[in-house]
Amino acid sequence: MKILVLNCGSSSIKYALYNMDDKSVMTSGGAERVGLDEAFVKVKMPDGTKKKVMHDIPEHTEGVKFIFSLLTDPEIGVIKSLDEIDAVGHRMVHGGEKFNKSVVINDEVLATFKECIDLAPLHNPANLKGVNAVSELMPGLPQVAVFDTAFHQTMPAHSYLYAIPYDLYEKYGVRRYGFHGTSHRYVSHRVCDFLGVKMEDKKIITCHIGNGGSVAAVENGKCVDTSMGLTPLEGLMMGTRSGDIDGGAITFLEKKLGLDADGMSNLLNKKSGVLGITGISSDMREIDDAIEKGDERAKLALDMYNYRIKKYVGAYTAAMGGCDIIVFTAGVGENQYQMREAVCKDMEYMGLKLDVEKNKTVRGEEAVISTPDSKVTVCVIPTDEELMIATDTMNLLEK
């Protein structure tokens, strides 16, 4: 079975074609600058070579159409006919309380998904464009929706409710939903397979740390808490997002700066976080370089960044009454050993002992980085959200 995975953003379309017989990636890539000048598609071949193809992509249907043409291209294509594609799995950002698992897309699902647009006005419309583009280009091809928020729908009410008037939750669905759910689900399952343990009796903390970041508490295979909220702004300090901030500070700044709601959202989502503190970049590699040159604000930003991850790990350990496994994943989590060391430092009180040398040598590979006598097993597990989407799609179609 061959499954195409699509992740449609506001100005981008990421894709990967899987051969599910052996779960191998036949090809992958992404269209960038959709709707803008100088649009292009980057294609990664199975042998690791990459090719950049310039192409005018005014909107998502044209982008998906061009990606389909590349899949069958005589030079860089990997299939002879689009008929070889058995289904398309879509990353859908916000399913609200409507969806707690992946579903086969039909008219009813689309109508319900549209009801969640208010919760993610930038992401959900782009997701819909991808679905509609596939329907237009290949009518009748099965499509599956995999939601970022679904894994977190097992959180109890005391975890997800905000302490605001209850009717605002009832009327508008204002509550914490959490994101990166497909990643948290994948690594929490994968780490148990990797360690050869049953997740039904484990307390796991998964740290998805990239330009956006979130932490989740997973008890007996179910999410019981996560750091992101109604939107991906809440929680950790991120590349350009502020993370947790006093609501009073928001109204204070709106008045001082003369900002409306959109202006404040732009400040907190795109100009804050690591970028806001350093004034340099949101890229941790550039921050590391600045620290080596003695930049004090870069050092401060890194200390803030690591501290907040540590704080959530400690909070979720308390919430679950212990922790058996901590997982680091995503771009920073998989590759920045300094961050992992800083988070795990001074946690011997909970029985955690980091193998400092082992931690330094691990980059983007599955590994245990705690000592053999550590009561908490600390692992690095590369995430694979696309494979999770492809697997969900296959499983639903086989049912």
Side-chain angles (χ1 to χ4, degrees):
M1 182 180 286
K2 294 183 178 67
I3 293 176
L4 179 66
V5 173
L6 285 180
N7 178 358
C8 292
S10 57
S11 62
S12 66
I13 307 171
K14 297 178 183 178
Y15 71 92
L17 181 63
Y18 282 85
N19 182 344
M20 296 306 290
D21 293 340
D22 58 5
K23 297 186 177 180
S24 61
V25 180
M26 300 176 67
T27 185
S28 64
E32 299 184 30
R33 299 184 60 80
V34 175
L36 303 171
D37 294 335
E38 299 182 351
F40 60 90
V41 177
K42 284 184 178 179
V43 182
K44 183 177 181 181
M45 306 303 292
D47 62 2
T49 58
K50 297 180 181 179
K51 186 176 180 67
K52 183 177 180 180
V53 185
M54 304 300 297
H55 186 79
D56 185 34
I57 307 176
E59 42 73 43
H60 286 72
T61 301
E62 177 58 33
V64 174
K65 182 179 180 180
F66 186 59
I67 287 170
F68 279 172
S69 73
L70 292 176
L71 295 176
T72 58
D73 183 85
E75 180 184 348
I76 61 176
V78 293
I79 55 177
K80 293 182 179 180
S81 169
L82 293 178
D83 293 334
E84 293 182 40
I85 300 175
D86 295 289
V88 177
H90 294 268
R91 180 203 179 201
M92 310 291 265
V93 170
H94 213 310
E97 292 184 321
K98 309 289 186 181
F99 300 100
N100 60 10
K101 60 183 177 181
S102 302
V103 294
V104 176
I105 296 174
N106 55 30
D107 291 342
E108 182 181 355
V109 166
L110 289 178
T112 304
F113 182 66
K114 289 176 183 177
E115 295 175 8
C116 302
I117 285 179
D118 281 352
L119 296 172
L122 296 178
H123 296 89
N124 279 17
N127 300 157
L128 277 173
K129 288 178 181 179
V131 174
N132 293 334
V134 173
S135 296
E136 181 178 330
L137 296 167
M138 295 187 70
L141 183 69
Q143 300 186 71
V144 167
V146 180
F147 302 93
D148 263 12
T149 50
F151 181 60
H152 304 304
Q153 283 298 298
T154 54
M155 287 192 294
H158 66 257
S159 291
Y160 67 70
L161 283 175
Y162 290 118
I164 58 176
Y166 192 78
D167 63 340
L168 297 178
Y169 162 63
E170 293 179 307
K171 289 180 181 178
Y172 307 115
V174 178
R175 51 157 284 184
R176 297 174 60 248
Y177 290 98
F179 298 87
H180 299 136
T182 306
S183 175
H184 287 294
R185 177 161 61 105
Y186 174 81
V187 297
S188 61
H189 282 77
R190 177 57 200 157
V191 73
C192 291
D193 291 340
F194 176 64
L195 296 174
V197 299
K198 294 181 179 180
M199 70 182 311
E200 287 74 17
D201 61 353
K202 297 299 177 186
K203 297 173 180 179
I204 304 170
I205 296 174
T206 50
C207 305
H208 177 106
I209 313 298
N211 193 50
S214 61
V215 180
V218 182
E219 188 170 4
N220 302 325
K222 294 182 178 180
C223 178
V224 295
D225 207 344
T226 192
S227 58
M228 283 182 167
L230 174 73
T231 75
L233 178 62
E234 187 180 0
L236 303 176
M237 176 181 175
M238 300 171 235
T240 63
R241 297 177 195 149
S242 66
D244 294 335
I245 182 171
D246 178 9
I250 295 174
T251 56
F252 176 84
L253 288 172
E254 282 179 335
K255 293 175 182 178
K256 287 291 184 182
L257 301 177
L259 295 174
D260 60 12
D262 289 339
M264 197 68 222
S265 176
N266 185 62
L267 175 68
L268 295 176
N269 279 288
K270 298 181 179 180
K271 297 181 179 180
S272 298
V274 174
L275 174 63
I277 295 296
T278 64
I280 298 172
S281 172
S282 62
D283 191 317
M284 297 306 292
R285 292 166 295 190
E286 294 184 38
I287 302 309
D288 287 340
D289 290 342
I291 290 172
E292 289 185 9
K293 296 175 183 176
D295 190 302
E296 290 298 323
R297 276 170 54 187
K299 176 65 166 59
L300 171 63
L302 192 63
D303 288 343
M304 293 171 63
Y305 187 88
N306 294 336
Y307 172 75
R308 294 189 181 194
I309 301 169
K310 177 194 285 284
K311 187 166 68 171
Y312 268 99
V313 169
Y316 289 163
T317 299
M320 292 190 293
C323 176
D324 300 303
I325 302 169
I326 296 174
V327 182
F328 290 99
T329 193
V332 178
E334 295 169 24
N335 296 296
Q336 292 281 334
Y337 77 85
Q338 300 96 326
M339 178 276 296
R340 299 191 299 257
E341 182 175 343
V343 171
C344 294
K345 185 179 180 182
D346 299 325
M347 284 199 172
E348 289 81 6
Y349 71 91
M350 56 185 279
L352 191 160
K353 297 181 182 179
L354 187 73
D355 186 325
V356 176
E357 294 306 315
K358 177 67 174 176
N359 179 47
K360 288 180 179 179
T361 61
V362 172
R363 290 183 64 85
E365 62 184 45
E366 295 184 335
V368 175
I369 57 173
S370 50
T371 62
D373 61 338
S374 178
K375 292 182 179 179
V376 180
T377 304
V378 185
C379 294
V380 175
I381 300 289
T383 192
D384 199 334
E385 295 166 275
E386 290 78 15
L387 177 59
M388 191 86 262
I389 293 171
T391 302
D392 278 8
T393 302
M394 179 182 69
N395 291 341
L396 281 169
L397 292 182
E398 287 180 343
K399 287 181 181 179

